[in-house]
Each structure stands twice: as structure tokens, then as C-alpha cells.
Amino acid sequence: MNLKSVVLTVFGLVIGSQINAQVNVLNATTPQEIGKKTEEQMIYDNDSPLPYGYTDERDILWSKTVWEIIDLDERINFPLYYPIDTNNIGSERRSLYDVLVKGIKSGRITEVYADSYFTEKRDLQDISSSLVYSDTTDLGIEQLNAEGFVDPQYIRSFTLDAADVQQYRIRGIWYIDKRQGELKYRLLAICPVANEARSKAYPDDNIDASVELFWIFYPDAREVLHEAMVFNNKNSSQPVSFDHLLNSRRFNSVIYKEDNIYGDRSIDEYVVDNALMQLIESDRIKEQIRNIEMDLWSY
């Protein structure tokens, strides 16, 4: 056995022992010990999101801001959607929507806004009002008219959950770092999109009112998304974090808007009632961005 084989074998054993120690499935004597780290691991644990390198404004040779749609009906985007039923699954696995909402409710995610330009900040009460719809039944209305109050049993409450999210919209910036001479991408904001909670109260009406629930300034959510793991279908012992998945762009998306002279108008505003031509226009913008880097090294 040569030196290279020895090094690889030792490295594999070390990594394997770390994985087993972190999960602790093979060494646990009770179910409560699963997932708990040892004291040695807690001392040496410095796991945190990979920090962004500082980029000086003078080093940005070119940039373009784009808005994209991540359709959760596409198979490649399923890791952002599932699991939607959390009753029969461990607490360590949650969908992206559940992770974001939990982070907002716990106060760890504070930079929440009503739009992608971060002009109107929203608090937990504003978010809750858009995620929950309450309705009074006919019996409750009769009781209110007769007695002046309504029993809680006559009030229906409908809450949006992960299964109701149809897509995510993201805002990011492509730029050329002239110091490193390469095209880079930085994610700036993310937004879940779903029908209004009112549509769950009246399913027979076929209400199609997709709305942007809230926009989150992405750097503020990185710590929370780094701690939440995405199921790895190829190797369940090596999950990846939501932060890694999004920053590495391991999803499929369609550009629906770019910054432009017309007030950042979206594609469907100037390519009307033609879905095919809208997709072609989206691909044209993508190709334009790719060509910028190609032209950088053309003489």
C-alpha cells in the first residue's frame, strides 16, 4: 500500500468517525442520545456559514441585478419544498418555508420586508396577518347578532404551511470582480410565494391569488439556513445546508425581471400573453450575462 492510499484511508476513517459521532445513531444507548454532540465536539465546534469575501466597490467592473422564479413543481427544486408533512418525521428535517418562518418567529431573522427593494420593513405581527385567515361561520354570525359575542367554536382559522408554497422568488446580483477576473453571483433576497390563506377557506371557488408573502434580506438569514439541513438523496449521511444549496445555485430558475432603464419592468410587461416568448427572453438575458464573462477573456 503506497503513501497516497494510507493517507486516503486515514482521512476516510476520520471523516466517518466524525459523521457517526455527530449523528450518534450507532453509538446511542437511548433514542434521546441521537443527535447530541460530545463535550469534545462542542469545544472544537466552530461550524458557521462560509463568510463572504469583502468586495470593494472599485473592484466591480460590471454588474446586473436579476429577479428569478424557482418553481417548486420542478423535480430539481424538490429539496426546497419537502418535507411538507412533519408529523411522521424527525425535527431535524424541515422545508425551507418552515425554516424561514421559524427563524422569523424566534427573532433570529429580523430583516423582513414587503418588497425586494427593502423599502418597507415588516414585523412578526404583519407576517402573521398574511399567513393566517380567520372566518366566522353562519352560526357564529347569528350568535353575534343575538348575543353580541361569538364562541371560538364558530371561528374557523386557516394557516398557510409548506405545502401551500408554489415558488420562491429571489433577487441577486451578477458581477465581475476585476481583481479575480471572474463572474460571481451574490444572493440578496428570497421570498416565498403562495395563494392567500383565504383560498384555503373557500377551495371550491378556485381562488388563484398568488402573493409574495414576505421578502427576507438573505445575509441576515444565513446563520439560520446554515443550521438547517437538506436531505441528500444520494448519500443521507452527508446532508447539505440550505445556505450551501442556495449559494451554490443548486436549483433551476427562470429570470422574470432585470434592472433596466424602464423602472425595472418585468418581462411579462413588454412580452405580453406569450409564455414561450417570455421564456426565450429570459434565456436571452441569461446568455447575455454568460457572454460578459466570455468577452472578458476575448482579444
Side-chain angles (χ1 to χ4, degrees):
M1 183 180 291
N2 55 25
L3 180 61
K4 181 178 180 181
S5 300
V6 173
V7 173
L8 291 176
T9 302
V10 173
F11 180 76
L13 291 174
V14 172
I15 295 298
S17 63
Q18 291 178 351
I19 293 171
N20 291 335
Q22 290 176 0
V23 179
N24 205 25
V25 174
L26 303 180
N27 301 320
T29 57
T30 62
Q32 288 73 24
E33 295 180 2
I34 298 176
K36 291 186 178 180
K37 296 182 179 180
T38 63
E39 293 183 1
E40 291 79 6
Q41 284 180 313
M42 295 178 66
I43 293 174
Y44 293 103
D45 188 9
N46 59 351
D47 190 21
S48 60
L50 185 66
Y52 293 140
Y54 178 76
T55 303
D56 195 285
E57 295 292 336
R58 294 172 296 181
D59 295 334
I60 300 179
L61 186 63
W62 171 91
S63 69
K64 176 176 282 294
T65 303
V66 294
W67 287 257
E68 301 170 82
I69 293 176
I70 303 175
D71 190 352
L72 297 182
D73 282 337
E74 298 186 36
R75 185 175 296 275
I76 192 175
N77 297 330
F78 280 178
L80 299 175
Y81 181 67
Y82 290 101
I84 57 176
D85 184 5
T86 58
N87 294 325
N88 300 316
I89 200 168
S91 59
E92 72 279 358
R93 289 183 58 189
R94 289 294 182 266
S95 69
L96 176 58
Y97 175 78
D98 289 333
V99 172
L100 293 176
V101 172
K102 182 180 178 181
I104 295 173
K105 291 182 178 180
S106 64
R108 298 186 62 189
I109 299 177
T110 58
E111 299 301 315
V112 184
Y113 296 85
D115 57 76
S116 61
Y117 295 97
F118 316 120
T119 57
E120 180 183 350
K121 196 167 184 178
R122 308 185 70 179
D123 55 21
L124 181 59
Q125 184 177 1
D126 297 330
I127 297 299
S128 300
S129 62
S130 63
L131 303 182
V132 180
Y133 176 76
S134 298
D135 185 26
T136 305
T137 63
D138 294 338
L139 292 176
I141 296 176
E142 292 179 3
Q143 184 184 33
L144 178 63
N145 294 333
E147 304 177 13
F149 69 94
V150 181
D151 289 335
Q153 61 178 330
Y154 297 132
I155 298 178
R156 302 185 302 168
S157 181
F158 301 89
T159 305
L160 291 178
D161 51 34
D164 300 313
V165 179
Q166 302 169 348
Q167 59 185 232
Y168 285 96
R169 295 181 182 177
I170 58 175
R171 177 192 174 190
I173 179 172
W174 290 95
Y175 65 97
I176 290 180
D177 188 338
K178 68 180 182 181
R179 282 186 176 270
Q180 301 186 18
E182 63 178 328
L183 181 68
K184 294 184 177 181
Y185 177 79
R186 181 70 60 85
L187 183 58
L188 300 178
I190 186 169
C191 167
V193 178
N195 281 339
E196 297 177 349
R198 180 171 58 92
S199 62
K200 301 185 69 173
Y202 305 101
D204 296 335
D205 294 345
N206 295 322
I207 300 176
D208 185 12
S210 298
V211 295
E212 297 177 348
L213 300 180
F214 49 83
W215 282 90
I216 293 178
F217 183 59
Y218 185 78
D220 181 58
R222 290 196 65 201
E223 191 72 35
V224 173
L225 295 179
H226 176 74
E227 298 173 1
M229 295 298 171
V230 183
F231 180 74
N232 187 346
N233 196 39
K234 296 182 179 180
N235 186 357
S236 58
S237 68
Q238 292 286 343
V240 297
S241 67
F242 278 111
D243 180 60
H244 176 73
L245 184 144
L246 291 170
N247 275 314
S248 59
R249 292 187 61 87
R250 294 171 61 175
F251 54 80
N252 187 50
S253 62
V254 176
I255 295 177
Y256 71 93
K257 186 168 70 169
E258 64 171 337
D259 55 348
N260 51 57
I261 195 174
Y262 305 103
D264 296 350
R265 67 177 181 180
S266 58
I267 292 177
D268 59 3
E269 291 183 36
Y270 62 92
V271 182
V272 184
D273 297 333
N274 194 325
L276 176 60
M277 295 304 298
Q278 291 173 3
L279 288 175
I280 293 176
E281 175 65 9
S282 175
D283 289 339
R284 184 193 68 81
I285 297 174
K286 284 184 179 180
E287 192 66 23
Q288 185 183 50
I289 294 173
R290 294 193 192 101
N291 290 339
I292 290 293
E293 185 178 31
M294 299 292 291
D295 295 341
L296 184 66
W297 300 104
S298 298
Y299 299 94

